[in-house]
């Protein structure tokens, strides 16, 4: 029996060559708040992906490819203004897909999307050219200068945790640099990318410059895209193992990649720290977005003299978090993205217990009532009694959970924090200025904060070492990835 028009689920389509188009089949997207159906997502097959790549290639060779930097920067600013104007719609799309509190979606995700376009409009406008005179021993000289051309057709593949923020973090510099793109949003969060496609058209981005294909990874849109010979590079945010699969997919054609991958981030708390500030900061870095931020802290090393105070303070903060509906102003914490992800997080809760953890807070599924118990809720959780030898302390959980571990000396704290294959972010809490700089510099990570967390200047380099990624994006670092320099040498 076909559903009547009024019960027809929302259709979330691909965007190719400036038009919304069907896929080869659809898959259901559920709301993590209560498990209700959000819509049917049109999965792109090989044909749709090939058409998206062809549309991007054609647009690169059209007026977009010949547009001046000034004109492109103007479009970037118009996109930011349109995002601001349509912020409520974007918040609704983001909240529907992820279940996160409305205030978080508005103040972090959507606000940053607009900021991303403004920041890269500025960066690309200010980008200078290298030029220098080469003097030869025989008295001749040559003028060398480098021009930057767009990389070409860029595949942009992003995850579900901060969908619009992370998409625009890559889309804005790619467009500002004159590229055309094929975006593959996460299968879990198709809505805001689809709405953004509409917003980009409204702001004057020509058809074909940005294409959106929906689906999964291997054997679906993501796999078809990375294997397509028509892409000139891949910028990707997601799991380290997916980064590895994408590298294999592009290896035969030696395409450049920019990877922002997983983490198992450490915080170090010294006894000389302002403990109230440290505990509040740790609560934020552990539980923001239900722990589903790549920068979140999952390992907390605390100097032994203040271990019990920090553990008790953090457990109290965890107990004060309010799980609830996104529109309720009292809500601090949403659900996990899906039932499947909750299964993964719960498996780590079990593993930690089996490895000997003492559960200081949370540790399971909450009972919330109010029709929410079919959603993918989880309790904010803290463990003690584990050390770096345990898998629960070594592997990324990507949920609202951290292990607290004591240390005795500064060298030991640094060694414990660096004892990981990941290398994304670290936080040092101390009132000793010299120690703050010393420890921050010795952290083997891409981002090292002191007495704060997730404070970002969009011009600064963002990325990780080891399993946490390849390359840096942010300001000029992004422009370097999204452009190809050509050196011109003129004998004078
Ligand atoms: P994921 O790797 O499963 O998926 C990310 C995207 O890649 C999705 O769009 C997915 O469909 C696609 N994909 C999956 N397999 C693919 C393949 N073989 N080929 C092409 N595309 C493929 O990651 P996720 O579960 O969506 O996100 C969570 C992960 O992202 C965590 O590990 C987190 O740490 C990481 N992350 C990192 C950063 C950062 O900046 N370093 C930021 C946010 C999230």
């Amino acid at each position: 029996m076909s559903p009547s028009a009024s019960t027809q689920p929302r259709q979330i389509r691909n965007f190719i060559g400036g038009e919304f188009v069907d896929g080869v089949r659809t898959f259901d997207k559920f709301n993590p708040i209560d498990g209700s159906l959000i819509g049917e997502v049109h999965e792109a097959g090989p044909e749709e992906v090939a058409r998206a790549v062809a549309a991007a290639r054609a647009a690169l060779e059209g007026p977009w490819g010949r547009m001046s930097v000034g004109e492109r920067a103007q479009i970037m600013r118009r996109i930011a203004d349109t995002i601001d104007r349509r912020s409520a719609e974007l918040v609704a799309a983001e909240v529907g897909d992820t279940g996160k509190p409305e205030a978080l979606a508005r103040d972090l995700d959507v606000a940053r999307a607009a900021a991303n376009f403004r920041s890269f409009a500025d960066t690309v406008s200010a980008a200078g050219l290298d030029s220098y005179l080469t003097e030869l021993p025989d008295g001749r000289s040559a003028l060398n200068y480098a021009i930057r051309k767009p990389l070409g057709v860029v595949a942009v593949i992003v995850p579900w945790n901060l969908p619009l923020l992370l998409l625009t973090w890559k889309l804005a510099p790619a467009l500002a640099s004159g590229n055309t793109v094929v975006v593959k949003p996460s299968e879990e969060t198709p809505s805001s990318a689809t709405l953004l496609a509409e917003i980009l058209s409204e702001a004057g981005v020509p058809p074909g410059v940005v294409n959106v294909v929906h689906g999964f990874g291997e054997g679906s849109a993501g796999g078809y895209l990375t294997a397509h010979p028509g892409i000139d590079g891949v910028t990707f945010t997601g799991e380290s193992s997916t980064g590895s699969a994408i590298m294999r997919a592009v290896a035969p054609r030696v395409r450049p990649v920019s990877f922002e991958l997983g983490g198992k981030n450490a915080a170090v708390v010294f006894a000389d720290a302002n403990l109230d500030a440290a505990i509040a900061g740790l609560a934020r870095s552990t539980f923001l977005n239900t722990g589903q931020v790549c920068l979140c802290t999952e390992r907390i090393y605390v100097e032994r003299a203040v271990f019990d105070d920090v553990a008790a303070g953090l457990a109290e903060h965890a107990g004060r978090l309010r799980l609830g509906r996104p529109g309720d102003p009292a809500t601090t914490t949403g659900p996990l993205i899906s039932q499947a992800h909750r299964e993964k997080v719960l498996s780590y809760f079990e593993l930690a217990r089996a490895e000997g953890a003492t559960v200081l807070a949370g540790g399971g599924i909450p009972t919330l009532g109010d029709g929410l118990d079919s959603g993918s809720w989880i309790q904010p959780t803290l463990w003690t009694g584990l050390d770096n030898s345990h898998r629960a302390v070594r592997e990324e959980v990507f949920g609202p959970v951290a292990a607290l571990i004591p240390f005795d000396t500064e060298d030991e704290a640094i060694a414990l924090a660096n004892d990981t294959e990941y290398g994304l972010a670290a936080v040092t809490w101390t009132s000793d200025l010299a120690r703050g700089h010393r420890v921050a510099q010795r952290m083997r990570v891409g981002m090292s904060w002191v007495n704060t967390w997730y404070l970002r200047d969009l011009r600064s380099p963002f990325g990780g070492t080891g399993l946490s990624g390849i390359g840096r994006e942010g300001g000029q670092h992004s422009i370097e990835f999204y452009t190809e320099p050509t050196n011109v040498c003129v004998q004078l």
Side-chain angles (χ1 to χ4, degrees):
M1 195 176 69
S2 69
S4 71
S6 61
T7 57
Q8 178 78 33
R10 187 156 66 88
Q11 301 296 299
I12 301 168
R13 294 190 165 83
N14 303 289
F15 186 72
I16 300 174
E19 287 178 4
F20 286 102
V21 297
D22 288 355
V24 280
R25 64 184 81 85
T26 61
F27 60 92
D28 292 337
K29 164 62 194 162
F30 297 101
N31 185 333
I33 289 283
D34 56 10
S36 60
L37 184 67
I38 285 195
E40 290 177 349
V41 189
H42 285 254
E43 182 179 353
E47 293 271 301
E48 287 73 24
V49 170
R51 276 173 46 210
V53 174
R57 178 67 57 197
L60 188 68
E61 284 156 14
W64 179 256
R66 293 189 294 277
M67 203 176 267
S68 71
V69 169
E71 282 175 289
R72 278 203 312 267
Q74 217 174 3
I75 291 182
M76 299 292 108
R77 294 197 176 93
R78 228 162 34 224
I79 295 170
D81 293 344
T82 315
I83 288 174
D84 284 344
R85 193 164 42 74
R86 299 186 63 175
S87 162
E89 290 167 77
L90 287 164
V91 168
E94 212 69 323
V95 166
D97 280 357
T98 63
K100 66 178 72 187
E102 277 178 19
L104 185 64
R106 188 184 56 241
D107 300 341
L108 178 65
D109 299 67
V110 178
R112 255 295 293 282
N116 284 338
F117 282 100
R118 289 201 177 94
S119 174
F120 284 106
D122 292 345
T123 300
V124 79
S125 303
L129 297 175
D130 306 328
S131 67
Y132 46 90
L133 209 58
T134 308
E135 290 172 345
L136 302 175
D138 65 3
R140 289 178 305 156
S141 63
L143 175 64
N144 276 281
Y145 60 90
I147 54 164
R148 288 198 168 271
K149 298 175 187 161
L151 185 56
V153 175
V154 180
V156 179
I157 303 178
V158 282
W160 45 258
N161 60 320
L162 303 168
L164 188 66
L165 186 160
L166 293 170
L167 165 57
T168 54
W169 174 239
K170 290 176 174 297
L171 190 58
L175 294 182
S177 304
N179 297 280
T180 58
V181 303
V182 180
V183 171
K184 215 298 279 168
S186 167
E187 54 274 29
E188 294 291 352
T189 49
S191 299
S192 56
T194 310
L195 182 54
L196 184 69
E198 197 184 298
I199 288 175
L200 295 171
S201 301
E202 187 184 330
V205 175
V209 171
V210 177
N211 306 275
V212 180
V213 291
H214 291 298
F216 305 84
E218 197 54 48
S220 183
Y224 302 138
L225 182 58
T226 52
H228 198 286
I231 57 163
D232 297 305
V234 181
T235 180
F236 167 74
T237 303
E239 280 191 15
S240 304
S241 58
T242 310
S244 174
I246 292 175
M247 265 181 118
R248 285 195 295 276
V250 300
R253 284 159 291 112
V254 202
R255 295 295 189 260
V257 294
S258 173
F259 283 169
E260 292 170 358
L261 307 178
K264 187 73 182 177
N265 308 305
V268 171
V269 187
F270 288 96
D272 62 30
N274 172 336
L275 288 193
D276 289 341
I279 290 165
L282 290 168
R284 201 171 150 261
S285 73
T286 304
F287 301 126
L288 185 79
N289 206 42
T290 318
Q292 303 167 119
V293 179
C294 55
L295 305 167
C296 273
T297 303
E298 292 194 5
R299 299 179 292 141
I300 302 175
Y301 301 101
V302 187
E303 194 164 351
R304 201 174 299 274
V306 294
F307 185 86
D308 290 345
D309 292 344
V310 171
L314 198 51
E316 197 200 315
H317 267 265
R320 283 211 303 265
L321 295 172
R322 283 290 156 265
L323 281 56
R325 292 195 177 272
D328 181 345
T331 298
T332 58
T333 308
L336 292 170
I337 187 68
S338 64
Q339 297 289 350
H341 188 50
R342 184 167 76 171
E343 287 308 310
K344 178 189 161 188
V345 174
L346 283 171
S347 76
Y348 278 99
F349 285 13
E350 272 170 36
L351 174 69
R353 277 202 188 88
E355 290 184 317
T358 300
V359 180
L360 201 62
I365 296 175
T367 304
L368 299 172
D370 189 23
L372 297 177
D373 291 319
S374 45
S376 40
W377 299 91
I378 194 99
Q379 290 176 323
T381 295
L382 295 167
W383 301 317
T384 56
L386 298 176
D387 61 39
N388 276 16
S389 69
H390 294 115
R391 275 182 55 207
V393 180
R394 304 201 70 79
E395 298 174 15
E396 183 185 46
V397 182
F398 215 55
V401 59
L404 290 106
I405 297 168
F407 71 85
D408 293 301
T409 67
E410 186 177 305
D411 280 344
E412 185 194 0
I414 294 166
L416 288 168
N418 285 341
D419 175 22
T420 172
E421 281 197 79
Y422 290 103
L424 192 58
V427 191
T428 305
W429 293 95
T430 178
S431 296
D432 179 334
L433 186 65
R435 166 179 269 167
H437 283 283
R438 201 163 57 224
V439 175
Q441 290 177 24
R442 287 181 63 194
M443 294 292 193
R444 198 176 42 73
V445 292
M447 278 89 51
S448 199
W449 279 287
V450 180
N451 294 336
T452 186
W453 174 76
Y454 206 176
L455 185 60
R456 293 270 301 122
D457 182 321
L458 302 185
R459 296 167 299 183
S460 55
F462 185 94
T465 64
L467 276 184
S468 294
I470 296 179
R472 296 291 182 274
E473 297 203 29
Q476 200 53 41
H477 306 276
S478 297
I479 306 301
E480 275 169 26
F481 177 73
Y482 294 104
T483 56
E484 285 279 15
T486 299
N487 186 70
V488 179
C489 177
V490 185
Q491 190 182 314
L492 302 179

